[in-house]
Amino acid sequence: MNKSALITGVTGQDGAYLAKLLLEKGYRVHGLVARRSTDTRWRLRELGIEREINYLDGDLADACSVQRALLKACPDEVYNLGAQSFVGSSWDQPVTTGIVDGLGVTHMLEAIRQFSPQSRFYQASTSEMFGLIQAERQDESTPFYPRSPYGVAKLYGHWITVNYRESFGLHASSGILFNHESPLRGIEFVTRKVTDAVARIKLGKQRELRLGNIDAKRDWGFAGDYVEAMWLMLQQEQADDYVVATGVTTTVRDMCRIAFEYVELNYEDHVVIDPAFFRPAEVEVLLGNPGKAERMLGWTPKTSLESLIRMMVDADLVRVAKE
Ligand code: NAP
Ligand code: F7E
């Protein structure tokens, strides 16, 4: 019999790529979708899978809705990707971020414990938990030091996942994923903000790009590669925690240079530094060590930052030209 999966955050970047991967593997895919007044399925449409998902109404902040969705889906695997995922907004909406990204994980785990303890569980943890880094290269044993309400909420989500695994024997794994991007990335995140602006500037629809701290460094990978690591974690006999990263870190400045140079422009002619985009507390540098994922899961990143940025600029050139 084919396996089934419940994905929270199925309309997000990772949810869309993961749904596609699981559908290709023959899974029946259920997606928890919170009620919104606007259409949020554009990513699933772009991947051509909008009609292949069974949508279940529910919000991670609402424990009853999560339980109901789990009972309807009876999934072999649950991927908890739903979150308020934008670090910048987490200072403006700290309580919502805490409820959805922190307590929402407990809602999922508690529903699994009570109604579906055989379901395997994946928690979308994050390199933001390392924040003010305590080691030059961060791995599974590096102490955490979050620097935003988002990072703090996700740290709760991470530890409650570990705790339910140790307390109740649930097959619950936490993927500590470093930044991963794609043409389906939300426009508020810096890579997509840059590639969208590059396309607009190239096509004469915009002149400047306003950014914050371009000296920040990130370990950027491709979302399509990273969802494979999520799936691999749930195929292991034992649940565990894994860092997923490329092992290469780059400044926002150099990422801009790559994007602008691809269309024969110079970023220095267009980027304007705007204090409005600086954060109350910054994560200056992140650099992951994916050694454990490589050894235990046989996972390696396949996409360089250069090809990722080229892929994103190409997609944005097509989108902007169509407007
Ligand atoms: P994303 O594009 O922002 O998607 C987030 C998803 O969560 C959307 O489908 C959103 O639904 C849904 N959601 C938001 N609030 C919800 C609620 N209250 N109840 C149910 N669903 C809700 O994020 P992503 O980049 O795909 O990331 C997926 C997960 O990985 C997130 O948990 C994120 O924090 C984590 N993560 C991401 C990265 C990264 O670099 N991308 C790295 C590490 C960890 P709507 O579309 O309706 O808003
Ligand atoms: O910022 C700097 C900003 O918003 C990256 C989420 O997926 O990855 C993501 O969080 C860096 C930061 O991603 C602008 O200050 C400069 O240093 O693209 P971002 P993030 O905050 O790293 C982690 C792993 C997650 O878990 C999150 O869910 O870029 N930066 N100027 C800027 N950032 C933005 N957004 N906009 C700017 O204008």
Side-chain angles (χ1 to χ4, degrees):
M1 247 215 351
N2 287 353
K3 281 192 186 174
S4 66
L6 172 62
I7 303 175
T8 75
V10 73
T11 55
Q13 170 189 256
D14 292 6
Y17 281 111
L18 179 66
K20 185 155 198 292
L21 179 79
L22 297 181
L23 287 165
E24 283 164 1
K25 290 182 184 297
Y27 280 62
R28 170 108 174 97
V29 176
H30 306 269
L32 183 88
V33 181
R35 198 258 157 193
R36 301 283 188 258
S37 63
T38 52
D39 169 42
T40 56
R41 296 188 191 170
W42 65 273
R43 296 181 172 97
L44 300 165
R45 260 196 304 282
E46 281 210 14
L47 295 182
I49 56 170
E50 186 187 10
R51 290 167 194 276
E52 294 180 53
I53 290 158
N54 178 38
Y55 299 96
L56 299 168
D57 219 43
D59 192 303
L60 284 162
D62 181 336
C64 306
S65 73
V66 164
Q67 286 172 14
R68 200 163 35 242
L70 189 77
L71 284 166
K72 278 188 189 158
C74 289
D76 297 291
E77 297 169 11
V78 177
Y79 294 86
N80 187 36
L81 310 185
Q84 190 303 93
S85 76
F86 186 46
V87 173
S89 291
S90 75
W91 280 280
D92 297 321
Q93 299 182 37
V95 176
T96 302
T97 304
I99 292 171
V100 176
D101 300 13
L103 285 180
V105 187
T106 308
H107 292 158
M108 287 299 324
L109 286 164
E110 192 50 30
I112 290 174
R113 177 169 89 92
Q114 290 189 50
F115 304 113
S116 187
Q118 75 291 346
S119 297
R120 295 185 172 194
F121 179 76
Y122 172 86
Q123 168 57 17
S125 289
T126 165
S127 52
E128 280 293 300
M129 301 188 308
F130 295 121
L132 187 61
I133 54 167
Q134 304 293 299
E136 200 181 327
R137 277 162 67 89
Q138 301 88 55
D139 64 19
E140 295 77 6
S141 61
T142 304
F144 298 116
Y145 193 142
R147 294 271 282 171
S148 64
Y150 170 79
V152 173
K154 281 284 183 177
L155 191 52
Y156 172 89
H158 172 73
W159 280 119
I160 200 72
T161 301
V162 174
N163 181 260
Y164 268 57
R165 177 170 76 223
E166 294 176 352
S167 304
F168 304 116
L170 296 186
H171 193 294
S173 292
S174 174
I176 306 173
L177 271 54
F178 283 60
N179 298 54
H180 46 279
E181 322 290 312
S182 74
L184 302 185
R185 189 56 145 152
I187 197 87
E188 65 274 39
F189 299 95
V190 76
T191 52
R192 180 76 204 294
K193 183 174 172 181
V194 168
T195 62
D196 173 71
V198 163
R200 285 176 194 284
I201 292 168
K202 184 69 185 172
L203 297 177
K205 298 194 174 186
Q206 185 174 320
R207 289 174 65 84
E208 64 175 32
L209 166 61
R210 304 185 83 81
L211 293 175
N213 175 16
I214 62 172
D215 294 317
K217 295 173 100 175
R218 288 293 183 275
D219 179 330
W220 278 297
F222 172 47
D225 294 345
Y226 284 36
V227 297
E228 288 184 13
M230 297 177 189
W231 176 77
L232 283 167
M233 284 178 218
L234 297 207
Q235 310 318 304
Q236 306 306 303
E237 202 174 318
Q238 300 291 333
D240 206 341
D241 307 322
Y242 299 89
V243 159
V244 177
T246 67
V248 178
T249 191
T250 309
T251 57
V252 173
R253 182 192 300 279
D254 282 340
M255 181 270 292
C256 282
R257 181 178 294 127
I258 294 167
F260 279 86
E261 276 178 1
Y262 180 49
V263 295
E264 289 157 354
L265 293 173
N266 181 351
Y267 83 97
E268 287 168 313
D269 296 336
H270 302 282
V271 169
V272 176
I273 302 303
D274 184 340
F277 295 105
F278 280 75
R279 292 173 177 178
E282 176 64 288
V283 172
E284 295 292 348
V285 55
L286 289 171
L287 170 59
N289 174 1
K292 180 175 172 184
E294 285 171 9
R295 282 192 311 281
M296 309 292 288
L297 305 177
W299 179 88
T300 47
K302 299 190 191 90
T303 314
S304 69
L305 180 60
E306 285 73 15
S307 39
L308 170 63
I309 294 297
R310 286 198 295 270
M311 188 197 314
M312 294 175 68
V313 171
D314 284 340
D316 280 322
L317 282 167
V318 172
R319 286 184 184 126
V320 173
K322 271 192 199 151
E323 279 174 6

